[in-house]
Amino acid sequence: LGESGLYKIAVLIDDLRAEESKKRLAAVQSLPQIAEALGADRTRGELLPFLLDIADDEDEVLLALSEQLGNFLPFIGGTPYAAHLFPPLERLAGLEEPAVRERAIESFRKIIDKVGVKPVEKELLALVKRLMEGEVFTMKIASLGIIPLLYGSGSSSAQAEILPLYFKAAKDEIPQVRRIAAKNLKDLIYACKNVEEFLPLFQSLCLDEQDSVRLMSVESCIALSKKIPQNKVGNYILPFIKSVAEDKSWRMRYMLAEKIVELCKGIESSIVCKDISNYFAKFLQDSESEVRAASAGRFAEFCKLLDLNTIVEKLIPPMKKLSNDPFPFVRKSLAENILLVCPLIGGTHTSQHLIPTFLTLLKDENSEVVLPLFKTIGYMNKVIGLDSLAQSIVPAISNLANDKKNWRTRLTMFQYFPFLAQQTEENFFNDKFLELFLQGLGDSVFAIREIAVENLMKVAE
Amino acid sequence: IDEKVNRIEWLNKHYKSLLVLTTNDKTVKLWKIFNKEEPKLYNFNMDGKPAPESINKLKVPKHKKGQKVLSHKVLKVYPKGHEHHINSLSMSMDNEHFLSADDLRVNIWNVERSDDVFCIVDIPAGNLEDLSEVITSGKFHPIDPNLFAFSSSKGIIKLCDLRLNSSSEKNCTNFEILEDPSKKNFFSEIINSVSDIVFSKNGRYIFSRDYLCTKIWDIRKNKAPVNSLRVTNYLEKRLCDLYESENIFDKFELCGSPDSNFIFTGSYNDNFHIIDRHGNCNCTLEATFNNKKNQMIGTYNYYADKKASAPGNVNFNHKILQGTWHPTGSTLAVANYNCLFLFNGVTSQMPYTK
C-alpha cells in the first residue's frame, strides 16, 4: 500500500465511528479493504471486536454490516476461523429491526454453506441456546431462524438438543415467536429423517388462536404432504385441509385456495377428486371476494389434478356463476383461467359448458375482464376451432381495438394481437383481424403505433 | 399540517426499549425510547496527528464503557394512509398490528411494514360538504386480535370482525339506540355524536361517550346499552347557550379502570367524573390547584337519588377532556389547563356494589 492508500485506510477505520451516518455507512462498505490492509490476524483480533460494538447504530449501517460479515470469511483467515464471525452476527440477529435480523441470518446461511456445519457445530449450538434464553423476544426469533440451518446437517446429538428448544419456542406466549416457529417448521420437515416427530407440533400450531400462526401452517402442511406416507394422509393432511377450508377467518381460506394445488401434489388423485374438490367448489362460491378470486386463479391448475367427471360435475357449475360476480377482479381472474381448461375437458364439454360463460365474459362492460380472454384463446381454438364463434369474437375485439374512451384498452388489445396471430389459423387471422391490426399503425396515440410496429414482425411470422 | 400530536399509543412491554406510536394529523410514527450508551472512544488514527507511516502503524480504535443517556429515535414512519385528520390510534393485542382512523377511513397497519396499509373501512366521500356521518374514534379489542370497533358522529358504534371479510363496512354489528323520531329535536344529532369509545379491560363492554352521557354496552347485546348514565345534571337545560358558545361540540374522552368497573370521563368546571359501570354512583372530583396534597375534593352523587342539585355558576371554559388510567394500578392522570394531575386510589372509597 502506498502512502495515499494508507491514508485512505486510516480515514476509513476512523470513519467507522464518525458522527455522520453516511461516513459510517461508507466505511462499513469498505470493510474488505480495511481487513486486507490489517491482515487476517489483526482483523480477527482487533477489527471484529470493534465491530461488535457498533451494533447500536442506524439501520442502514447495520444492514450493510450484516451483509459484509456474510462475505468476510476470506478476510479472517478462512474456514478454520469461521466461528469468529459469529459474535457480531449473533448480536445483529437478535436486534429489533426485522430487516437487519433477516440479513444477519442470511449471512449465517452463507457462512454455513461455505464451511459446512461440522467445523462450527459447537459454537452454533451454544449460540442458538444463548439466543433462545435471550431477554428480548427478537433473540428467540433469531434462534428459530438459525436452527434450520444447523438441523439438517447437524450431528444427531446436536439435533437431539435443538428440537426441544424449538418445540418450547413454538409454545411461547408471544404470538410473533410462535409465528416464526410455524413459518420455519417446513424447513425442519424437509430436512428431517423422521417426519412423525413433528406431527404433534404441527397439530398444535394448526389450532393456535392467532390467525397469523395458523396461516403459516399451510406451508408446513405442504412439506408434510411430500414426506408423509400415503396411508397417513387421511389422518393428518385431510383433517387439516378440512379445518382450514371451514375456518372462520377468510385469510385462512384464501391461503388454502392459493396453495391447494401444491398441497394436493402429495395426495392420491382419487382422494383429491372425492374430497378436496368439494372444498374447492365451495371456495368458488365463498362469501369473501378475495377467496373467490384466488380460487378462480387456480382453477385450471387444479383441474389438471382431477378426472373429467369431477371437473364437469363439481367444478363447472360454480365456476359458471363467477361470470356474473359483482367484483370485476374476480371476473378477471376467471377470464384469465377459463379457457385453459378446454383441452382438459374436450370439445363436447367445451361447447356445452364453457362457451356460454365465455360469451358472457366477452360482453362484460369492464375491458379488463374481456382482454385476458384473448391471451388464452388458442386453447379453445385447438379444441373446437373459432369459426363458429367468429360472430361473437370479432365484434368484441374490434370494439376493444377501437375503444375511443380509453387508449390503454386499445394498447392492451394491440399487445395481444401477436397471441391471436399465433394461436389462430393464418386464414382466420388474415380474414378477420389483419385490417384492424394495420389500423393500429395509424393510431393517434404514439404508444399504440409503437406497439403495432413492434408486433408487426411477430404477426408476420 | 399542524405541528401537534393527536394521539400516542404504547406498544407492548415485550421489547427491551420503550416503543410508542404517535400521530399528527396525517402521519403516524414509531419511536423508540432507550438508554443509549455513549462509549468513550480512543486510539484513532487521524486524531490531529499525521497519517500512519506504514501498515503496521494502522490503529484500530477501542472503546471504554461510557455513560447511559436517555435517547429517542424514529424507527418507522407510516405515511400516506390518510387524507383527513387522524383521530385515533390503537394497538392490537397481537402486538403486530395497529389501526389509525380519520373521518372517513380506518386503516390497519403492520408495525414492521411502513409501505403497506390495509384499508378496512372506507366511507365513500361523495361531496365533502354533504358529509352526513364521520368516524370519530376507533379501537382494537384488548383481548381478541380479530375485533375492533369504531364510532360515528351519528351515534352508532360498529363492532367488526377482521376474519369475516376483507372490508368491514357492511359486515359489522351496529350498536345504536334507535330513537323515536318524534322525540328528536334540533340538538339530537349533535349530542348523540359519540366522541370517544373504549373497550373495558376485560373485553366484555364498550364504554361510549357522547355529549351528555356515557353508555355501557355489552358486546354481546347490540340493541340497547346495559346502562346510559348522565355525566352531569346541568347540561340538558342549557343546550341553546352551549350551541351559541360552541361548547356543544366539545369532545370528551373516557377511560376504563383496570378492573373494568369504573369509567373516568371529564366535564366542565374543572370537574372529572368516576362513574361506576352498574350505574349506582357518579363521583364528581375537581382537578384544580386548590387541592392540597393527599386530598380529593368532590362529591358522590347517586343516580337513584333524584334530588341531585345543579351547581349555580358553571365555568364552561374550564373543561377536562382527557385522562388516562394506569393499565394495572390505581393511579389516574387527568389533564387540565396545561397541567397533569395525578390521583391515586380514586376508586378505593367509592361505594360499589356488584
Side-chain angles (χ1 to χ4, degrees):
Chain A
L1 270 186
E3 207 180 282
S4 65
L6 208 50
Y7 177 81
K8 211 171 77 172
I9 298 284
V11 170
L12 280 173
I13 293 182
D14 285 359
D15 273 352
L16 284 170
R17 286 301 225 168
E19 288 272 325
E20 295 133 40
S21 64
K22 278 202 186 118
K23 283 193 184 165
R24 293 200 299 275
L25 182 60
V28 166
Q29 284 163 339
S30 315
L31 274 174
Q33 284 102 297
I34 299 177
E36 228 175 322
L38 287 174
D41 288 333
R42 285 191 76 187
T43 301
R44 283 196 313 273
E46 297 173 52
L47 187 58
L48 284 184
F50 183 57
L51 292 176
L52 187 57
D53 288 302
I54 70 173
D56 246 338
D57 208 320
E58 303 277 329
D59 289 343
E60 261 187 322
V61 180
L62 294 177
L63 268 174
L65 181 59
S66 306
E67 175 141 6
Q68 288 290 336
L69 287 172
N71 301 323
F72 227 50
L73 209 49
F75 301 108
I76 56 163
T79 306
Y81 300 105
H84 278 83
L85 291 173
F86 290 172
L89 276 177
E90 178 182 340
R91 185 88 189 272
L92 291 163
L95 288 181
E96 283 155 358
E97 171 59 41
V100 175
R101 283 206 310 268
E102 278 159 34
R103 193 68 70 83
I105 294 182
E106 190 48 43
S107 290
F108 267 112
R109 179 195 302 273
K110 274 192 213 166
I111 297 174
I112 295 176
D113 276 348
K114 283 211 190 93
V115 158
V117 168
K118 283 230 161 37
V120 288
E121 185 175 275
K122 204 174 78 178
E123 287 88 355
L124 274 180
L125 199 49
L127 195 158
V128 157
K129 284 187 192 160
R130 268 197 307 273
L131 283 172
M132 215 35 121
E133 301 291 317
E135 50 177 4
V136 193
F137 79 93
T138 47
M139 294 182 186
K140 289 190 194 170
I141 291 185
S143 186
L144 288 172
I146 299 174
I147 287 180
L149 303 174
L150 173 51
Y151 183 75
S153 328
S155 65
S156 43
S157 65
Q159 289 180 341
E161 282 192 68
I162 295 176
L163 274 193
L165 291 177
Y166 198 90
F167 289 175
K168 186 167 163 215
K171 295 191 165 60
D172 197 281
E173 53 162 4
I174 300 179
Q176 281 117 309
V177 178
R178 297 201 304 274
R179 179 163 67 86
I180 301 292
K183 184 171 174 206
N184 292 349
L185 184 58
K186 68 175 189 305
D187 294 322
L188 289 182
I189 292 177
Y190 281 128
C192 76
K193 296 195 189 73
N194 181 11
V195 150
E196 313 255 333
E197 271 184 306
F198 294 94
L199 289 171
L201 177 60
F202 170 70
Q203 287 185 312
S204 79
L205 287 171
C206 290
L207 295 170
D208 197 286
E209 52 175 17
Q210 291 280 347
D211 276 5
S212 53
V213 178
R214 291 202 314 281
L215 268 177
M216 295 295 153
S217 48
V218 177
E219 288 276 354
S220 313
C221 193
I222 296 178
L224 267 182
S225 72
K226 293 190 181 152
K227 290 199 88 159
I228 216 175
Q230 275 301 316
N231 57 3
K232 298 258 168 121
V233 163
N235 290 346
Y236 294 103
I237 311 286
L238 290 186
F240 173 75
I241 295 183
K242 178 172 175 357
S243 76
V244 176
E246 294 169 358
D247 197 298
K248 190 174 170 199
S249 172
W250 67 269
R251 272 179 231 270
M252 291 297 293
R253 303 196 301 271
Y254 173 84
M255 181 64 119
L256 185 59
E258 282 276 302
K259 304 272 178 186
I260 197 159
V261 176
E262 242 201 285
L263 195 49
C264 289
K265 285 195 184 146
I267 305 179
E268 238 180 351
S269 174
S270 59
I271 303 182
V272 179
C273 290
K274 194 170 110 195
D275 297 309
I276 302 182
S277 57
N278 296 332
Y279 298 125
F280 194 85
K282 282 211 192 116
F283 286 159
L284 290 168
Q285 304 168 82
D286 197 279
S287 58
E288 167 55 42
S289 56
E290 296 277 351
V291 178
R292 297 197 299 273
S295 49
R298 298 263 178 263
F299 189 70
E301 277 178 64
F302 189 66
C303 286
K304 285 189 194 151
L305 303 172
L306 304 172
D307 60 40
L308 183 59
N309 250 350
T310 319
I311 301 178
V312 173
E313 281 171 35
K314 288 193 194 172
L315 295 191
I316 299 266
M319 187 257 339
K320 280 195 205 175
K321 292 193 205 146
L322 286 179
S323 57
N324 292 321
D325 195 283
F327 289 88
F329 75 96
V330 177
R331 302 196 303 271
K332 177 176 172 198
S333 198
L334 177 66
E336 285 165 351
N337 273 270
I338 185 175
L339 295 177
L340 298 169
V341 180
C342 299
L344 298 173
I345 59 174
T348 348
H349 288 292
T350 304
S351 304
Q352 201 182 356
H353 299 288
L354 293 188
I355 301 262
T357 314
F358 170 71
L359 291 174
T360 314
L361 287 171
L362 206 55
K363 294 189 214 130
D364 199 291
E365 55 180 14
N366 190 323
S367 58
E368 293 217 5
V369 175
V370 186
L371 284 167
L373 290 170
F374 302 118
K375 209 166 170 193
T376 51
I377 208 163
Y379 289 89
M380 192 162 72
N381 188 33
K382 279 193 211 137
V383 175
I384 57 169
L386 294 174
D387 292 311
S388 51
L389 295 169
Q391 276 203 332
S392 310
I393 299 181
V394 176
I397 293 187
S398 114
N399 275 341
L400 289 169
N402 287 324
D403 189 325
K404 294 274 177 269
K405 282 188 233 161
N406 189 349
W407 66 269
R408 282 184 217 275
T409 311
R410 299 203 301 274
L411 183 66
T412 320
M413 190 62 242
F414 277 95
Q415 281 171 333
Y416 286 162
F417 269 120
F419 289 109
L420 272 179
Q422 236 180 2
Q423 296 176 30
T424 61
E425 279 108 41
E426 198 176 319
N427 293 338
F428 188 77
F429 185 83
N430 286 346
D431 199 26
K432 320 275 183 205
F433 303 124
L434 197 55
E435 209 181 300
L436 258 179
F437 177 71
L438 293 173
Q439 267 176 28
L441 291 165
D443 195 289
S444 56
V445 174
F446 156 72
I448 297 179
R449 295 199 301 277
E450 193 185 21
I451 290 285
V453 167
E454 269 176 33
N455 289 340
L456 193 57
M457 279 305 298
K458 294 189 200 162
V459 168
E461 281 164 26
Chain B
I1 302 176
D2 284 345
E3 274 181 7
K4 60 180 171 74
V5 176
N6 289 348
R7 286 271 167 238
I8 68 171
E9 176 90 342
W10 294 96
L11 262 66
N12 220 293
K13 57 178 165 43
H14 293 303
Y15 293 92
K16 190 159 124 192
S17 352
L18 289 173
L19 293 181
V20 62
L21 287 166
T22 65
T23 182
N24 62 10
D25 279 338
K26 289 283 163 65
T27 312
V28 182
K29 288 188 187 172
L30 178 68
W31 299 80
K32 175 167 130 168
I33 303 171
F34 60 109
N35 275 321
K36 186 171 177 178
E37 195 196 296
E38 308 250 289
K40 296 203 181 124
L41 300 161
Y42 59 101
N43 206 34
F44 280 97
N45 283 301
M46 311 293 295
D47 241 338
K49 305 172 208 141
E53 298 112 37
S54 68
I55 285 199
N56 296 341
K57 295 268 168 69
L58 270 180
K59 290 190 278 191
V60 178
K62 300 194 173 56
H63 83 299
K64 265 198 288 227
K65 268 202 179 338
Q67 292 235 327
K68 286 218 172 181
V69 171
L70 193 66
S71 1
H72 63 282
K73 72 177 192 183
V74 177
L75 288 185
K76 284 249 180 331
V77 180
Y78 307 91
K80 300 197 182 128
H82 292 274
E83 282 169 7
H84 302 278
H85 293 204
I86 298 178
N87 57 42
S88 304
L89 258 189
S90 176
M91 194 72 207
S92 165
M93 69 71 67
D94 70 2
N95 216 32
E96 269 190 289
H97 299 97
F98 66 92
L99 69 78
S100 58
D102 68 19
D103 285 340
L104 293 178
R105 199 181 270 186
V106 178
N107 282 336
I108 297 198
W109 307 78
N110 185 318
V111 168
E112 290 177 1
R113 300 190 50 190
S114 48
D115 53 353
D116 208 9
V117 58
F118 191 50
C119 179
I120 188 87
V121 178
D122 203 354
I123 299 180
N127 191 342
L128 279 175
E129 308 273 306
D130 290 337
L131 276 182
S132 59
E133 186 175 9
V134 292
I135 297 172
T136 50
S137 177
K139 293 277 184 342
F140 258 115
H141 192 276
I143 299 170
D144 188 336
N146 299 306
L147 295 179
F148 73 97
F150 66 98
S151 59
S152 84
S153 56
K154 278 205 161 141
I156 306 175
I157 300 168
K158 299 192 194 217
L159 181 66
C160 313
D161 188 327
L162 285 170
R163 287 169 300 187
L164 289 179
N165 272 99
S166 55
S167 123
S168 283
E169 284 123 71
K170 297 171 192 150
N171 292 299
C172 10
T173 316
N174 282 5
F175 291 74
E176 66 180 307
I177 301 178
L178 292 165
E179 262 189 23
D180 185 354
S182 63
K183 291 207 184 131
K184 279 199 183 161
N185 60 36
F186 175 73
F187 303 111
S188 289
E189 193 166 316
I190 306 176
I191 59 175
N192 282 337
S193 168
V194 176
S195 52
D196 194 22
I197 55 166
V198 90
F199 280 98
S200 65
K201 282 273 177 325
N202 60 15
R204 279 188 271 165
Y205 303 96
I206 298 177
F207 303 141
S208 76
R209 178 75 156 100
D210 48 62
Y211 190 63
L212 297 179
C213 315
T214 167
K215 296 187 168 74
I216 292 113
W217 297 86
D218 184 318
I219 62 173
R220 293 164 299 187
K221 183 178 156 204
N222 64 326
K223 297 287 183 216
V226 174
N227 260 318
S228 176
L229 304 167
R230 283 262 183 272
V231 177
T232 59
N233 52 12
Y234 53 79
L235 288 178
E236 303 148 279
K237 304 202 175 91
R238 308 193 195 196
L239 291 178
C240 263
D241 298 329
L242 292 164
Y243 183 78
E244 293 293 314
S245 62
E246 298 201 334
N247 280 118
I248 203 174
F249 299 106
D250 285 333
K251 297 209 178 326
F252 294 99
E253 290 180 12
L254 72 172
C255 186
S257 67
D259 61 3
S260 302
N261 288 323
F262 299 97
I263 302 168
F264 153 89
T265 190
S267 68
Y268 298 107
N269 235 11
D270 293 314
N271 283 342
F272 65 95
H273 302 260
I274 310 288
I275 299 173
D276 85 82
R277 170 166 64 79
H278 298 275
N280 292 321
C281 181
N282 176 339
C283 176
T284 308
L285 292 164
E286 260 180 41
T288 62
F289 296 111
N290 294 333
N291 295 17
K292 291 200 191 115
K293 224 176 166 185
N294 291 328
Q295 192 189 58
M296 277 194 258
I297 303 178
T299 56
Y300 292 114
N301 299 310
Y302 294 90
Y303 284 107
D305 191 356
K306 305 275 181 196
K307 285 184 282 177
S309 59
N313 254 336
V314 179
N315 192 330
F316 290 102
N317 287 327
H318 286 198
K319 50 193 150 186
I320 293 182
L321 298 173
Q322 289 177 321
T324 303
W325 228 301
H326 188 280
T328 50
S330 64
T331 312
L332 182 63
V334 178
N336 197 2
Y337 317 117
N338 56 356
C339 311
L340 201 57
F341 292 79
L342 291 174
F343 292 87
N344 229 334
V346 282
T347 58
S348 57
Q349 308 242 324
M350 274 197 75
Y352 166 64
T353 46
K354 279 208 179 165

